Amino acid sequence: MKLRRRKEPKRLMPIRDPKDPGSGVFTRRALLLMAAQTAALGVLGRRLYDLQIRDGDHFAKLADNNRISKRLLAPPRGLIVDRYGVAIAANKTNWRALLLPEETTDVQGTIDRFSTLVPLDERDRARVAREMRHKRKFVPVMLRDFLSWDDMARIELNSPGLPGVLIDVGTTRFYPYGSLLAHTVGYVAPPNEQDVAKSALLALPGMRMGRAGVEQSQDDLLRGESGSVQMEVNAVGRVMAELDRVEGTPGDQISLSLDVGLQQAVLGRIGDQVASAVVMDCRNGEVVAMVSNPSFDPSLFDSGVSRAQWAEWTSNERTPLINKAVAGVYPPGSTFKPAVAMAALSSGAISATDRFFCPGHFDMGGARFHCWAKYGHGSLDLHQALKFSCDVYFYEVAHRIGMEKIAESAHAFGLGTELGIELPHQREGLIPTPEWRRRHGHHWNGGDTVVSGIGQGFVQVTPLQLATYTSRIATGRAVEPHLVRAVNGSVGAKAEPTNWPALDMDPKFLDALRGGMFAVVNEPHGTAPKARLDIPGVQMAGKTGSAQVRRVSRALRESGHFNSASLPWEYRPHALFICFAPFDAPRYAVSVVIEHGNAGADAAAPLARDIMTDALTRDPVNHRIPPGQTVADAE
């Protein structure tokens, strides 16, 4: 029997009710998931676009900042050279350790660890703390300078434990001639807080400011402009490589009118005397030598002067820190007499041929004023009065014309005024007047005028003023002393003699003064025969001076036993001498002041003669290449 296969019933797909909440679940979830993924990818894409395209440069810079350390470099200070280009203020390499506060999270800990390697004393720590308070974190602070090779090796070996500490090479000021030019060239020292507030450049490690001399007066020109350096550092801040360096722009080169060789010669002549001397080109006012003795080592101020050294300087009665040429004030003594003579001639109170009698003293009221010659000089005219340096003659002249006219003449010659030389801390001195005396609550009397007539009393001048005064007598021009001859090789207008105007003085009166000063040195019985030059065909004119530093009583003078040379050193008169040469074509003017040197004729005149001989032998103003470096015997 044939079996029949059973037929399976056909299965039908269920019909989903659209109102059923369970229908279409899979499809909506898939769509939502796809939408969320698309949105996330969009946000991520947008963020990637922002990071890599729009802000890519910004983040690249941030990454470089983490890898690259960039800081400013102090510029090399400009050189100071003499008239021949000989360096008298230069720079030398200085290795130092710097701290970048922004690159360490524990500044004090870093400093303490550094101190175990290179000791920091309390003074160093106080300085570092002070600088960190007043500087921004990205400005380096100097921990120690003048590092040795051993110091640098220890720092490099332990650099992983010293984040923010790096070794830097800079420059420090170097003075090849040391104390020889200290007062004129000056010195540099670290800037203080007030200085840094005025110029951000001064906050850089290694920056120095001029504190005296030409270094101070020309500081803006010498300072230069900062440079920069980029270094690659690792995660702990250790320097891996130097990527780029842009050196700072050096300061200007300042060429002075000084001749180092002549300066050495002048100091050799002075020896160990407490003295100052100025040599000027009387045609244009260039100072070719300026010596103040004793002196000091200017390099000590760059690295720091110890308390012991400072105490030694400031307690020294010979005042080594003071530039006596511009800040030392002295009674001019008889060197003042030509100025008094010019006042009398210009006012018409006397003529050059008028004669006065000198009995050895001048009486006014109840006071007697003595001449240096006990028995007097007899009858004299102006030429003889200058030649013999008669005090009575100038007592009489001063009494006749009054102090106002004397002051006017003195100021015209540059005495008692602030001169235009490029040096700070110069003093004006004083040419007193009745008005000045009244302002100070005192009465001016006739005796004040009389003693002022011989450069005593309240009259005070500086050696530089005396040299300027002598130059103006010699040339008849209103020359001003100056030291800066050229900047970056460009010679200034002051070097040209014709740029200086003529003095408002009658030439025949100036001739009368020159003739009297010639007689002082060259005619028989002049007061300075020891100043006569031993150079064939060259003659010098000059004027002696001795300035008392304490009053000598009338009784002591008239006793015949007074001898100023027997007084203690600090009570002896100052010895002075002024001169110019050659007489017929003046080129150099010299002033010499020897503190407590006693007699100008015996002490200052021979010294001035030797200095003038050196100047004429070297003749620096007429040589472009230096003559022999030494012309004077140091003895």
Side-chain angles (χ1 to χ4, degrees):
M1 180 175 169
K2 189 177 182 179
L3 296 176
R4 181 180 292 179
R5 188 176 180 179
R6 187 178 177 182
K7 190 176 182 179
E8 293 288 336
K10 188 176 182 179
R11 296 181 179 179
L12 300 176
M13 293 292 294
I15 299 173
R16 294 178 180 176
D17 186 354
K19 294 181 180 182
D20 183 356
S23 64
V25 171
F26 176 76
T27 303
R28 286 198 298 273
R29 285 178 179 175
L31 290 175
L32 289 173
L33 181 60
M34 290 176 60
Q37 291 175 338
T38 302
L41 289 173
V43 171
L44 180 60
R46 175 61 187 228
R47 184 58 179 159
L48 290 173
Y49 172 83
D50 290 342
L51 291 175
Q52 298 184 24
I53 307 300
R54 192 189 69 177
D55 297 328
D57 291 341
H58 170 70
F59 287 105
K61 290 179 181 178
L62 291 179
D64 279 342
N65 286 341
N66 291 330
R67 182 179 66 91
I68 298 173
S69 174
K70 182 176 181 180
R71 57 189 176 83
L72 298 177
L73 295 175
R77 194 167 176 84
L79 302 182
I80 301 177
V81 301
D82 82 342
R83 66 187 304 115
Y84 298 118
V86 177
I88 53 183
N91 302 314
K92 65 179 181 180
T93 302
N94 171 32
W95 294 93
R96 58 203 178 197
L98 306 181
L99 172 64
L100 291 170
E102 69 175 355
E103 294 188 5
T104 177
T105 57
D106 183 9
V107 172
Q108 192 56 52
T110 300
I111 295 175
D112 290 339
R113 288 190 294 274
F114 177 87
S115 184
T116 63
L117 303 173
V118 180
L120 298 176
D121 58 25
E122 291 303 318
R123 184 178 176 183
D124 291 326
R125 287 179 174 271
R127 174 186 53 78
V128 171
R130 183 173 60 253
E131 290 185 10
M132 290 185 61
R133 285 195 304 269
H134 296 281
K135 289 182 179 180
R136 297 182 180 180
K137 283 191 172 183
F138 58 82
V139 178
V141 173
M142 186 168 65
L143 294 176
R144 275 288 299 274
D145 55 359
F146 305 105
L147 295 175
S148 67
W149 286 108
D150 289 342
D151 293 334
M152 291 187 287
R154 285 194 297 271
I155 295 171
E156 285 291 347
L157 186 63
N158 293 274
S159 60
L162 298 172
V165 175
L166 56 94
I167 294 176
D168 178 64
V169 59
T171 59
T172 187
R173 208 57 162 165
F174 171 55
Y175 300 99
Y177 293 92
S179 61
L180 177 68
L181 295 158
H183 292 108
T184 306
V185 175
Y187 55 84
V188 296
N192 56 36
E193 296 172 11
Q194 291 76 20
D195 299 324
V196 173
K198 296 176 183 177
S199 173
L201 177 63
L202 295 174
L204 296 179
M207 284 299 296
R208 296 291 187 265
M209 283 196 65
R211 293 299 189 197
V214 174
E215 290 275 30
Q216 179 175 343
S217 69
Q218 306 300 304
D219 187 66
D220 289 343
L221 295 178
L222 292 166
R223 195 176 296 171
E225 298 180 5
S226 64
S228 63
V229 61
Q230 288 185 346
M231 296 173 294
E232 184 177 17
V233 296
N234 61 16
V236 296
R238 183 174 186 177
V239 176
M240 305 304 294
E242 183 177 302
L243 301 179
D244 185 41
R245 177 181 287 263
V246 178
E247 297 293 346
T249 303
D252 294 331
Q253 177 171 297
I254 305 296
S255 301
L256 303 185
S257 56
L258 295 174
D259 172 11
V260 170
L262 181 60
Q263 186 89 358
Q264 290 173 322
V266 173
L267 183 60
R269 299 294 190 183
I270 290 176
D272 61 356
Q273 298 179 96
V274 181
S276 58
V278 177
V279 183
M280 277 179 59
D281 180 351
C282 57
R283 300 169 300 179
N284 63 5
E286 286 186 348
V287 177
V288 292
M290 178 185 287
V291 174
S292 176
N293 194 58
S295 187
F296 61 93
D297 182 0
S299 299
L300 296 178
F301 285 91
D302 194 5
S303 56
V305 176
S306 68
R307 288 189 178 93
Q309 180 65 77
W310 184 256
E312 178 186 336
W313 283 337
T314 54
S315 62
N316 191 333
E317 64 177 354
R318 299 185 171 211
T319 59
L321 293 178
I322 294 177
N323 183 357
K324 297 175 177 62
V326 298
V329 290
Y330 309 90
S334 294
T335 63
F336 193 60
K337 290 173 179 176
V340 177
M342 177 57 73
L345 293 170
S346 299
S347 66
I350 67 167
S351 71
T353 57
D354 287 347
R355 305 183 74 85
F356 299 102
F357 185 79
C358 170
H361 58 268
F362 176 82
D363 293 327
M364 188 180 68
R368 171 165 288 186
F369 302 89
H370 291 268
C371 186
W372 69 267
K374 183 177 179 180
Y375 300 107
H377 293 100
S379 178
L380 317 95
D381 60 13
L382 176 60
H383 183 86
Q384 293 168 318
L386 288 171
K387 173 182 174 180
F388 300 131
S389 196
C390 177
D391 293 334
V392 169
Y393 182 96
F394 288 96
Y395 290 148
E396 180 67 41
V397 167
H399 180 59
R400 289 191 177 198
I401 61 176
M403 196 62 214
E404 289 87 350
K405 294 186 183 303
I406 294 174
E408 183 180 345
S409 172
H411 288 151
F413 279 124
L415 300 174
T417 64
E418 183 174 349
L419 301 172
I421 195 166
E422 304 90 342
L423 289 176
H425 315 307
Q426 60 175 302
R427 296 177 66 181
E428 291 186 13
L430 175 65
I431 306 298
T433 62
E435 174 59 29
W436 167 84
R437 189 75 168 140
R438 285 192 293 269
R439 287 201 307 268
H440 289 78
H442 300 283
H443 174 69
W444 182 272
N445 56 54
D448 293 328
T449 301
V450 168
V451 297
S452 295
I454 63 166
Q456 292 282 175
F458 301 110
V459 182
Q460 290 187 326
V461 299
T462 67
L464 180 65
Q465 290 174 354
L466 288 174
T468 304
Y469 162 54
T470 308
S471 295
R472 293 183 181 185
I473 291 175
T475 64
R477 292 185 178 274
V479 295
E480 283 274 347
H482 56 279
L483 281 164
V484 177
R485 190 168 192 269
V487 177
N488 291 332
S490 178
V491 178
K494 292 180 178 180
E496 180 55 51
T498 56
N499 288 338
W500 298 103
L503 292 169
D504 186 19
M505 297 177 183
D506 193 318
K508 67 176 180 290
F509 297 157
L510 287 168
D511 284 340
L513 303 187
R514 297 177 193 129
M517 294 174 68
F518 176 87
V520 166
V521 178
N522 301 286
E523 292 184 2
H525 310 299
T527 55
K530 294 181 180 179
R532 201 167 298 161
L533 292 177
D534 190 20
I535 301 176
V538 181
Q539 294 172 307
M540 182 170 76
K543 186 71 192 75
T544 55
S546 296
Q548 294 177 3
V549 297
R550 62 179 302 190
R551 184 178 179 274
V552 179
S553 69
R554 176 175 177 176
L556 185 57
R557 280 188 178 278
E558 294 180 348
S559 69
H561 301 297
F562 175 68
N563 180 9
S564 60
S566 64
L567 296 171
W569 178 80
E570 63 272 19
Y571 295 145
R572 296 173 191 171
H574 300 312
L576 304 93
F577 194 77
I578 59 173
C579 57
F580 66 87
F583 176 75
D584 53 353
R587 183 173 302 159
Y588 297 107
V590 173
S591 70
V592 170
V593 177
I594 304 175
E595 291 188 9
H596 311 294
N598 199 38
D602 293 331
L607 176 57
R609 174 203 62 207
D610 293 343
I611 292 173
M612 182 65 78
T613 300
D614 293 339
L616 291 171
T617 302
R618 290 185 63 84
D619 198 13
V621 302
N622 285 338
H623 289 81
R624 293 191 177 183
I625 58 174
Q629 191 66 12
T630 57
V631 296
D633 191 339
E635 298 178 0

